[in-house]
Amino acid sequence: MRPVREQNGQPWRAWLQAQSQKNPDPVLRDYYRRSVLDPVSAIGDTPLVALDFETSGLDPRRDVILSIGLVPFDLSQVYFSQRQQWLLRPPHNYDNESVAYHHITHTQALKAPRFESIYADLLNAIAGHLVVVHYHPIERGFLEQTIKGISNAQLRFPLIDTMAIEARRYRHGWRTRLRTLMGQTPVSIRLADSRRRYGLPNYEGHRAVVDALAGAELLQAQIQHHYKRSTPIGELWT
Amino acid sequence: MDPELTEIRRHLSGYPPFESLSDALLDEVADHIEVSYYRAGRQILSANQPIEALHYVRSGAVEVYRRTGDLFDRLGEGSLFGHYGLLRGQRVHYPALAIEDTLIYKIPRAVFDHLCEADDAFADFVELGRPRVDNTETRGQTSSLASTKVRKLVKNEPLIAKTTDTARQAAQHMATEPTAALLVVGESEDNPRYSYTGSDGALWQVMGIVTDADFRQKIVATGRSADTPIGEITNDQLFVIQSDETVQEAMLTMLRRNVHHLVVLHRRRPIGVVGLEDVVRFETQSSLYLIDNLLSQNTVAGLATLLTDVRQSAARMIREGADSRTVTTALSSIARSFMRRLIELAEAKLGPPPVPYAFIAMGSMARDEQTLVADQDNALVLDDAFDRALHDGYFLDLAKFVSDGLDACGYAYCKGEIMATNPRWRQPLSQWQDYFRSWIRSPAPEPLLHSNIFFDLDNIHGEERFVENLQDIISTQAAQSPEFLAAMARNALNRTPPIGFFRDFVMEKDGRQNNSINVKRRGTAPLTDLIRIHALACGSRAQNSFDRLKDIANTQLLGPGVADRLAYSLEVLSNTRLRHQVIDIDRGDEPDNNIEPEQVPDRERHEIKEAFRALSQAQKFLRFRYPKPSKNTPNQGRR
């Protein structure tokens, strides 16, 4: 069994337990209290939620979250009908004009709520679930940074990163070294390319909730191809 | 509409039965789906497990099995399964297995129930596997002068001149395009009925038309200047027809008014000019004209030139959506006319027959079910006064003349030698009576295999009573002979349908995939065989399969609705067969009975698959209904 991944020198479980006691923000304390996941739990028995942020850029300190989509699922089924999505209004100090929205007008964005008024709903929706993302620095970095700006509290929890799972298979190990030796380009682990390897269809549009659906489907495929329902979540999370 | 659902809606709306759902219902489906991924080889549904959702193949491939383990269907992107279970008993009816990595959208039972309730087409699709039709005639419509819209005759945009243009300008204008009539428009004046807004945004009024004859009579003959404004020579009487009127109406208007051109209006906007020659050209392709024309041909060579017209006439009917029965009846009537004309020509050459006779046709011609691929099946029934030594020379010559003539006209010689040129099938009535009695009383499957075509029988020329006599024997005796029906049934099971299509292949029951399928051999022929047996069993005298099915439906022979389902299946398969023959003709190939899956659109695939399924079930029932009688069971009437 792989070592259980850690956070600030503490195993994830201990971190989650500690935060449920001492986090200064009561909303976060409640989230942590409901989300103390056991690393030995089987992935097949764990409620999952796919999460995707659309952001104005890649840097959590400079850029902002534009929209959030989430879809609860487990290894048997993606509960798309229980999806949730939020369009967000950028913070006061943020220059609206520089935001390149994908699907929405600035007028729509100005009518949308700010993150601080929805984050309790967001945390309520993901509490008790193991969060699944594709390329975790975005969701983890932006959540942490944005919450810090609101309540000066720390939000950090274990995630399954479907890109990291692809990277383990296709970017490490002898196959990759062989490909490099042969002068071949490395296998792409972007969402659409990863999905294609498992026979998953191409989804257009890149709306947060559709990307979350795409991520959920990808994890179902990855587990069926490379893991078991009984694989402990501690082996998969980051 | 929720924009997040666009992706899912778009996919669903590309496949039946979702393609015809209202936007609101489609949103409801997309809003409620759940999604599951199945790696290749994983079981999706197991027999008897409770079923909670309709399954939609978003990507990948799925095999569905009967409980016996036999392959029921192989499904690709956009296909549905699980509805049988949802509709009956709420448990999985047919287990399903992913044969490739597969993504399934699951539509929950509550939504499925609501769709069945709110959308009849959806309910029909999942319950019947086909649209609900009261009779097969509603599926297409007859193509003729009386049903074709006059807009079909409009080939080009009208050539338009202004009243102020000179005759020279107008003539030059007409020289650029092949048209016999010029539409003349002026500034809108008094008649709002003919006023319209032109592409330039101005309001114009149709004033009339100018034809070649007008230039001749009003300019050249009278010595007027070529600079005369065209408005001065425009016919003051304007005859118009709305674009959705029929060609027949256009023809009648021309006859009544004694004019050769009509302006075709779409509401008030002129869309073209139709001339008498357009109507005549249309008519020359119609089957009525064809029959008229072929009856006036005096040589075989003359008749043979009409083959192209026959094909074009039928192809046009098929393209315009005529149902199969209309087309095959027309083709059969044409074939009969060919035969009659050939017989007339033969008699003219050979002199009057020494004894009365009936020239008869069998098979598809007798059933009024000829397609664009037809060979000849015919025979001669001679009066019992026939003396072989004295008279056979005449009838052999007659048979040869007709048979060679038919071959020259596109009706190939029968490979099984079922033609009047074969002495076996050129016999006096008493011999024919013996043939039928022996086929029916002491049936052996192999000889019957070659003679079952004689149980579709129609008189073409001569003594109608001979044929009626033989039909009497068939309709009274066949039903009384279980051995005969059992032997016929056994033969009818020699040819079985495939399962359907999977991607660009034909799916066989053993899982094999083929590139094309002979839809006659695997579809219409076994279906026709099966209908014939039930018809014989219930004493029907009908020859056409649809008529036979009506007779069968009046008995208790088949379960409720089965005859309708078979009629629909026959229509689907015949129609497919005809349409693919037109595809062959359009490509310049010789038409045949093969269809290639890549040329079958999704909606048709589903109907064809259901038709094959209906045929397959009907064949199973046939085996059960007409078992081989054991030696010691007494004969029973089977009505």
Side-chain angles (χ1 to χ4, degrees):
Chain A
M1 197 169 120
R2 287 161 195 276
V4 171
R5 285 175 186 76
E6 297 187 346
Q7 161 60 24
N8 294 354
Q10 276 179 303
W12 270 122
R13 186 175 167 82
W15 160 266
L16 295 167
Q17 262 164 347
Q19 289 295 319
S20 69
Q21 303 292 322
K22 67 177 194 196
N23 194 294
D25 183 335
V27 175
L28 268 59
R29 271 206 309 279
D30 181 57
Y31 163 78
Y32 281 119
R33 195 180 42 72
R34 292 163 60 192
S35 309
V36 182
L37 298 166
D38 189 338
V40 300
S41 300
I43 181 75
D45 299 335
T46 306
L48 307 167
V49 63
L51 183 67
D52 188 81
F53 289 177
E54 191 188 355
T55 60
S56 60
L58 296 176
D59 184 351
R61 279 163 305 181
R62 278 212 331 262
D63 299 310
V64 294
I65 306 171
L66 303 177
S67 68
I68 297 174
L70 65 83
V71 183
F73 73 111
D74 55 38
L75 289 192
S76 308
Q77 198 141 309
V78 183
Y79 305 99
F80 185 69
S81 59
Q82 296 172 32
R83 68 194 179 279
Q84 292 194 52
Q85 54 205 313
W86 294 274
L87 178 65
L88 297 180
R89 178 151 51 127
H92 296 293
N93 55 356
Y94 195 79
D95 175 13
N96 274 326
E97 294 307 312
S98 71
V99 178
Y101 291 99
H102 284 126
H103 317 287
I104 51 176
T105 63
H106 285 271
T107 327
Q108 282 176 299
L110 289 175
K111 282 190 231 154
R114 292 188 198 284
F115 184 83
E116 45 265 50
S117 63
I118 65 103
Y119 87 100
D121 293 340
L122 170 65
L123 289 177
N124 184 46
I126 65 174
H129 295 70
L130 177 52
V131 174
V132 176
V133 299
H134 192 78
Y135 188 60
H136 71 279
I138 292 287
E139 280 75 15
R140 180 174 281 165
F142 276 86
L143 259 186
E144 194 166 346
Q145 193 68 32
T146 315
I147 294 279
K148 193 177 275 172
I150 294 167
S151 64
N152 207 24
Q154 196 172 16
L155 179 61
R156 193 167 249 251
F157 47 79
L159 299 162
I160 290 183
D161 183 348
T162 49
M163 183 189 263
I165 289 177
E166 285 302 276
R168 270 184 231 166
R169 298 217 46 98
Y170 297 103
R171 286 288 172 82
H172 307 296
W174 61 270
R175 282 191 198 83
T176 310
R177 263 177 265 126
L178 191 64
R179 280 181 73 93
T180 315
L181 275 176
M182 307 280 283
Q184 290 172 331
T185 49
V187 172
S188 167
I189 53 177
R190 298 177 50 182
L191 183 57
D193 296 320
S194 302
R195 284 171 57 84
R196 202 165 301 130
R197 278 193 286 279
Y198 299 94
L200 286 165
N202 190 30
Y203 284 152
E204 307 275 340
H206 305 294
R207 291 167 189 279
V209 79
V210 176
D211 275 355
L213 170 66
E217 292 169 1
L218 177 58
L219 186 75
Q220 285 192 341
Q222 288 172 324
I223 301 293
Q224 287 186 36
H225 282 262
H226 312 309
Y227 299 92
K228 302 194 194 83
R229 294 186 69 92
S230 60
T231 302
I233 54 176
E235 273 187 44
L236 298 163
W237 73 25
T238 300
Chain B
M1 186 189 94
D2 183 347
E4 315 298 332
L5 298 175
T6 310
E7 185 70 33
I8 290 157
R9 281 173 49 113
R10 189 171 46 214
H11 198 268
L12 289 168
S13 62
Y15 295 90
F18 301 103
E19 59 185 6
S20 53
L21 284 187
S22 69
D23 281 355
L25 286 176
L26 203 54
D27 270 343
E28 182 183 331
V29 176
D31 195 26
H32 287 91
I33 60 153
E34 314 293 7
V35 185
S36 299
Y37 177 87
Y38 298 90
R39 187 184 176 175
R42 270 194 63 189
Q43 190 85 25
I44 301 173
L45 294 174
S46 307
N48 287 324
Q49 86 179 63
I51 180 147
E52 297 301 334
L54 178 66
H55 287 53
Y56 174 85
V57 182
R58 173 60 181 82
S59 62
V62 173
E63 278 186 354
V64 180
Y65 292 89
R66 296 179 188 281
R67 285 162 199 247
T68 55
D70 291 338
L71 183 60
F72 178 72
D73 208 346
R74 187 174 292 166
L75 306 169
E77 189 169 335
S79 305
L80 291 179
F81 60 101
H83 44 294
Y84 293 101
L86 283 172
L87 290 166
R88 312 166 201 148
Q90 324 275 322
R91 289 187 177 273
V92 170
H93 206 70
Y94 299 119
L97 182 82
I99 56 167
E100 292 174 6
D101 291 343
T102 295
L103 191 68
I104 299 289
Y105 287 172
K106 298 177 180 172
I107 297 154
R109 176 208 301 287
V111 177
F112 175 80
D113 289 346
H114 182 229
L115 289 176
C116 288
E117 214 172 88
D119 190 285
D120 286 346
F122 182 91
D124 291 347
F125 186 94
V126 294
E127 283 170 24
L128 309 171
R130 59 175 165 88
R132 193 182 300 270
V133 279
D134 295 334
N135 55 46
T136 49
E137 276 92 300
T138 57
R139 207 168 169 269
Q141 57 174 358
T142 317
S143 146
S144 71
L145 287 168
S147 63
T148 306
K149 307 290 184 218
V150 74
R151 61 172 169 260
K152 285 235 161 189
L153 298 187
V154 176
K155 297 288 182 310
N156 302 310
E157 291 276 301
L159 278 186
I160 296 179
K162 293 173 195 145
T163 44
T164 51
D165 291 350
T166 64
R168 180 183 293 110
Q169 286 173 319
Q172 284 165 349
H173 198 23
M174 285 176 78
T176 60
E177 279 183 59
T179 180
L182 184 71
L183 191 69
V184 181
V185 302
E187 280 176 36
S188 181
E189 292 171 8
D190 49 341
N191 198 338
R193 201 178 142 212
Y194 300 133
S195 298
Y196 69 101
T197 310
S199 52
D200 55 358
L203 198 61
W204 293 98
Q205 180 180 325
V206 179
M207 308 304 282
I209 57 172
V210 168
T211 64
D212 288 341
D214 293 317
F215 286 99
R216 200 164 59 234
Q217 291 159 12
K218 297 179 187 165
I219 303 283
V220 182
T222 59
R224 287 172 88 175
S225 159
D227 293 323
T228 308
I230 197 76
E232 289 183 19
I233 65 161
T234 303
N235 289 301
D236 0 315
Q237 275 196 306
L238 176 61
F239 294 102
V240 302
I241 187 160
Q242 285 294 321
S243 61
D244 57 354
E245 295 274 15
T246 63
V247 174
Q248 179 169 283
E249 190 58 40
M251 194 170 72
L252 291 177
T253 306
M254 288 179 185
L255 290 173
R256 241 182 275 131
R257 307 286 177 178
N258 195 24
V259 290
H260 287 182
H261 296 90
L262 298 176
V263 176
V264 182
L265 299 181
H266 179 70
R267 303 213 177 87
R268 288 182 314 195
R269 193 171 56 82
I271 61 164
V273 176
V274 161
L276 182 63
E277 64 279 5
D278 297 314
V279 176
V280 171
R281 199 173 303 129
F282 176 87
E283 239 272 288
T284 54
Q285 285 189 359
S286 86
S287 42
L288 268 175
Y289 168 85
L290 247 173
I291 290 177
D292 198 43
N293 190 7
L294 72 83
L295 290 179
S296 65
Q297 296 292 331
N298 291 321
T299 61
V300 174
L303 283 170
T305 59
L306 298 176
L307 174 64
T308 320
D309 289 353
V310 172
R311 288 187 170 172
Q312 286 311 322
S313 150
R316 193 172 53 111
M317 292 170 86
I318 294 160
R319 278 192 213 102
E320 288 173 1
D323 65 24
S324 79
R325 190 168 177 185
T326 305
V327 180
T328 61
T329 303
L331 282 168
S332 305
S333 307
I334 291 169
R336 272 196 201 98
S337 303
F338 268 115
M339 244 177 113
R340 283 194 189 123
R341 187 63 192 148
L342 284 165
I343 294 166
E344 282 168 9
L345 292 177
E347 282 195 10
K349 188 179 159 205
L350 302 171
V355 297
Y357 71 94
F359 219 125
I360 63 173
M362 279 83 64
S364 61
M365 197 200 280
R367 293 195 313 271
D368 270 346
E369 290 170 20
Q370 278 208 328
T371 67
L372 288 158
V373 183
D375 50 8
Q376 45 173 303
D377 299 301
N378 53 61
L380 274 167
V381 183
L382 308 165
D383 190 277
D384 281 332
F386 173 74
D387 180 330
R388 186 164 300 276
L390 287 177
H391 306 138
D392 200 39
Y394 178 92
F395 288 111
L396 176 59
D397 287 347
L398 174 68
K400 265 188 73 62
F401 187 93
V402 171
S403 182
D404 292 348
L406 283 173
D407 185 66
C409 294
Y411 303 91
Y413 295 115
C414 171
K415 291 190 196 76
E417 294 284 320
I418 297 181
M419 294 181 289
T421 48
N422 182 341
R424 237 189 122 195
W425 311 129
R426 193 172 66 245
Q427 294 286 346
L429 178 62
S430 54
Q431 179 59 51
W432 279 102
Q433 291 167 336
D434 285 348
Y435 283 161
F436 277 98
R437 287 194 191 107
S438 97
W439 283 329
I440 294 170
R441 280 186 198 155
S442 39
E446 286 73 31
L448 262 190
L449 197 56
H450 304 292
S451 51
N452 74 26
I453 197 170
F454 288 98
F455 293 86
D456 305 329
L457 196 63
D458 191 25
N459 186 40
I460 299 300
H461 182 89
E463 303 297 316
E464 185 77 38
R465 62 198 162 94
F466 292 173
V467 177
E468 282 171 2
N469 183 291
L470 296 176
Q471 286 174 340
D472 282 342
I473 294 176
I474 298 170
S475 67
T476 53
Q477 299 194 2
Q480 308 302 319
S481 171
E483 291 87 354
F484 168 74
L485 295 172
M488 292 281 275
R490 227 168 95 194
N491 286 337
L493 298 171
N494 285 343
R495 298 179 287 193
T496 54
I499 290 183
F501 303 109
F502 175 70
R503 295 185 182 146
D504 283 347
F505 297 102
V506 179
M507 272 292 305
E508 298 294 342
K509 285 182 177 139
D510 59 5
R512 265 185 308 126
Q513 298 184 168
N514 291 321
N515 292 325
S516 76
I517 179 187
N518 184 315
V519 72
K520 178 188 180 189
R521 194 175 306 143
R522 305 292 302 280
T524 52
L527 188 50
T528 310
D529 287 349
L530 183 146
I531 293 167
R532 180 189 301 113
I533 295 164
H534 289 308
L536 291 170
C538 72
S540 163
R541 293 181 63 116
Q543 304 295 313
N544 178 269
S545 296
F546 293 106
D547 290 339
R548 284 173 167 171
L549 280 169
K550 277 184 196 138
D551 287 349
I552 296 165
N554 289 331
T555 69
Q556 305 296 312
L557 207 51
L558 300 178
V562 174
D564 282 348
R565 191 167 177 224
L566 292 178
Y568 186 79
S569 302
L570 182 61
E571 172 59 28
V572 166
L573 295 173
S574 306
N575 206 286
T576 302
R577 185 176 166 207
L578 288 166
R579 266 179 301 116
H580 281 79
Q581 292 176 351
V582 173
I583 292 175
D584 290 336
I585 288 175
D586 287 346
R587 282 193 305 204
D589 295 340
E590 213 24 50
D592 60 25
N593 291 314
N594 288 328
I595 60 174
E596 289 78 34
E598 63 264 30
Q599 288 173 354
V600 185
D602 279 321
R603 171 159 284 286
E604 280 171 38
R605 282 168 178 240
H606 184 80
E607 289 185 345
I608 294 168
K609 185 188 280 183
E610 291 296 333
F612 284 147
R613 201 166 277 165
L615 169 57
S616 197
Q617 283 174 7
Q619 285 189 326
K620 264 184 208 139
F621 178 73
L622 196 70
R623 191 189 305 271
F624 157 82
R625 185 67 183 74
Y626 306 105
K628 200 174 170 202
S630 55
K631 291 267 186 301
N632 18 7
T633 16
N635 277 5
Q636 294 169 343
R638 288 196 174 258
R639 288 196 67 151

